Amino acid sequence: MTHALRLEAEVLNLKTRHPFIIARGGESEYRTVWVRLVDKDGVEGWGEAAPAKIYGETTETVLAALQAYGAHLPADPFDLEGAEREWEKALKLNPSARAALSSALHDYVGKKLGVPVYKLWGLNPAEAPRSTFTIGIDTVEKLRLKVLEAEQYPVLKIKLGTHRDREILETIRALTDKELRVDANTGWTVKQGLRMLPILEEFGVTVLEQPLPATDLDGLETLTNASDIPVIADESCLTAADIPRLVGKVDGINIKIAKCGSLREALRMIAIARAHHMMVMVGCMIESSIAITAAAHFTPLVDIVDLDGAALCSNDPFAGATIDGGQVRLPTGPGLGLSRR
Ligand code: MG
């Protein structure tokens, strides 16, 4: 088959300012894959794959999957819907690899039309909510340092799911009156969750993300019913197909392009969650400004934004959407509006 585009892939080695630790563990070095779709005139669309082991991907699987997808590049790049369908047909799963291609194709099409992706979708960038900035699990001394370093961010997301969750909240609340949201990353049992709810309320926590293991939907329902704090499903909600069974079990869902595999699937998830009166959050992996910016383009449609992945890194090679002072700001250039730093 002849096609107008050529696929290029390059591994990015990202470093976080501090080791980024959540309930499952963590590290300070993360490898993602920069994907470029290039046409014969040299016009390039960019995307990024941030593989997560819990969703079955590594840098190596992404590179292998891209080889397979490379044989199915669209003859007509403007057929975004058809292109994504062909990729999923060619090789299922591998969501971060497909998200990178989806982002790159949207970037390319926006550039060819001379409009930003948010404009293709008819969105107003001024409606983007503020983003949280994440404080990973750490010692009391390091937590204090991180809260001071996060001075410019008005809303903090605190990683919990340890045996010292109360101490973590106490340490942070002693230093700041900011809005606090928490994410236990599947780290609690229902019993621990029920014990933690009054503590979260005591410290004024406003959002509780994924308190229980991904498959414990009845447990999530118990916590949702017991809590005035909205409960958001992250690890329990990968794609649109996961949403119907979460209705009535949680208050909202967290969309990540590396989980759902495409920008168009992210838009479908927003529509389906809204049809069920659910809250919508957009989150991220540790990734550069490429993947962050791709997700930032649909933030005018969501309630909660957590797009700090690039802000947590010390060597982001790219510039795009920013969360300076917490406010999501979209670049106004065509496509995703990305550039090299
Ligand atoms: Mg989460």
Side-chain angles (χ1 to χ4, degrees):
M1 193 176 95
T2 56
H3 47 70
L5 298 170
R6 169 177 99 240
L7 171 65
E8 291 178 5
E10 183 179 328
V11 173
L12 301 174
N13 291 292
L14 300 175
K15 289 183 179 34
T16 53
R17 290 174 209 280
H18 299 283
F20 186 72
I21 312 294
I22 67 170
R24 286 186 281 281
E27 47 214 315
S28 50
E29 291 186 19
Y30 290 79
R31 294 166 81 221
T32 66
V33 180
W34 176 22
V35 168
R36 290 190 301 267
L37 294 174
V38 188
D39 74 9
K40 61 180 185 346
D41 302 321
V43 179
E44 298 189 5
W46 291 0
E48 180 183 12
K53 280 200 193 95
I54 59 157
Y55 302 125
E57 290 185 279
T58 62
T59 314
E60 288 67 33
T61 67
V62 167
L63 292 171
L66 288 171
Q67 292 259 342
Y69 294 132
H72 299 271
L73 297 182
D76 174 9
F78 289 85
D79 182 11
L80 293 159
E81 200 70 33
E84 293 196 354
R85 202 166 47 233
E86 286 304 311
W87 289 327
E88 210 183 348
K89 226 184 335 176
L91 186 63
K92 292 203 184 306
L93 304 174
N94 298 283
S96 80
R98 280 186 290 116
L101 287 166
S102 170
S103 304
L105 202 57
H106 281 78
D107 185 32
Y108 177 82
V109 162
K111 280 179 182 160
K112 291 297 279 183
L113 296 173
V115 292
V117 169
Y118 66 79
K119 212 167 224 185
L120 279 179
W121 291 336
L123 304 180
N124 176 0
E127 287 174 10
R130 296 185 303 184
S131 174
T132 46
F133 185 80
T134 303
I135 307 288
I137 295 167
D138 222 319
T139 62
V140 166
E141 293 72 35
K142 286 277 180 58
L143 287 173
R144 289 195 181 119
L145 176 69
K146 287 178 178 178
V147 172
L148 293 177
E149 285 178 1
E151 198 190 353
Q152 64 155 311
Y153 300 101
V155 187
L156 301 180
K157 170 166 144 175
I158 315 302
K159 290 292 193 183
L160 298 180
T162 73
H163 291 293
R164 28 184 294 268
D165 288 347
R166 192 196 161 88
E167 178 190 56
I168 291 172
L169 280 173
E170 221 163 23
T171 301
I172 292 168
R173 189 45 101 203
L175 288 172
T176 181
D177 290 331
K178 286 176 185 176
E179 181 180 346
L180 301 181
R181 301 171 185 167
V182 301
D183 185 356
N185 286 107
T186 72
W188 296 341
T189 60
V190 178
K191 208 169 140 191
Q192 279 175 301
L194 289 171
R195 209 183 314 133
M196 281 302 294
L197 286 179
I199 296 171
L200 302 184
E201 279 169 24
E202 177 189 341
F203 290 105
V205 168
T206 57
V207 174
L208 169 57
E209 203 182 315
Q210 196 70 45
L212 305 180
T215 54
D216 190 0
L217 304 191
D218 291 338
L220 286 170
E221 183 178 17
T222 301
L223 291 190
T224 300
N225 289 337
S227 167
D228 289 334
I229 300 169
V231 176
I232 306 290
D234 179 356
E235 284 87 342
S236 297
C237 186
L238 311 189
T239 69
D242 295 318
I243 298 174
R245 65 173 167 268
L246 288 166
V247 175
K249 310 276 183 184
V250 293
D251 298 291
I253 57 154
N254 183 1
I255 299 169
K256 294 176 183 164
I257 62 169
K259 289 190 300 180
C260 75
S262 102
L263 299 185
R264 313 185 79 72
E265 178 73 357
L267 298 181
R268 281 190 287 274
M269 291 177 81
I270 294 170
I272 291 167
R274 291 302 185 203
H276 291 100
H277 309 287
M278 294 169 98
M279 293 172 75
V280 179
M281 169 173 179
V282 55
C284 64
M285 304 297 183
I286 298 295
E287 52 200 15
S288 83
S289 281
I290 295 181
I292 291 297
T293 303
H297 275 266
F298 58 82
T299 52
L301 291 170
V302 310
D303 307 300
I304 301 174
V305 175
D306 177 33
L307 288 180
D308 59 357
L312 289 162
C313 292
S314 57
N315 64 339
D316 178 8
F318 305 102
T322 56
I323 57 164
D324 295 336
Q327 185 56 52
V328 175
R329 284 190 210 292
L330 283 164
T332 53
L336 295 176
L338 294 159
S339 59
R340 285 175 209 250
R341 241 174 236 285

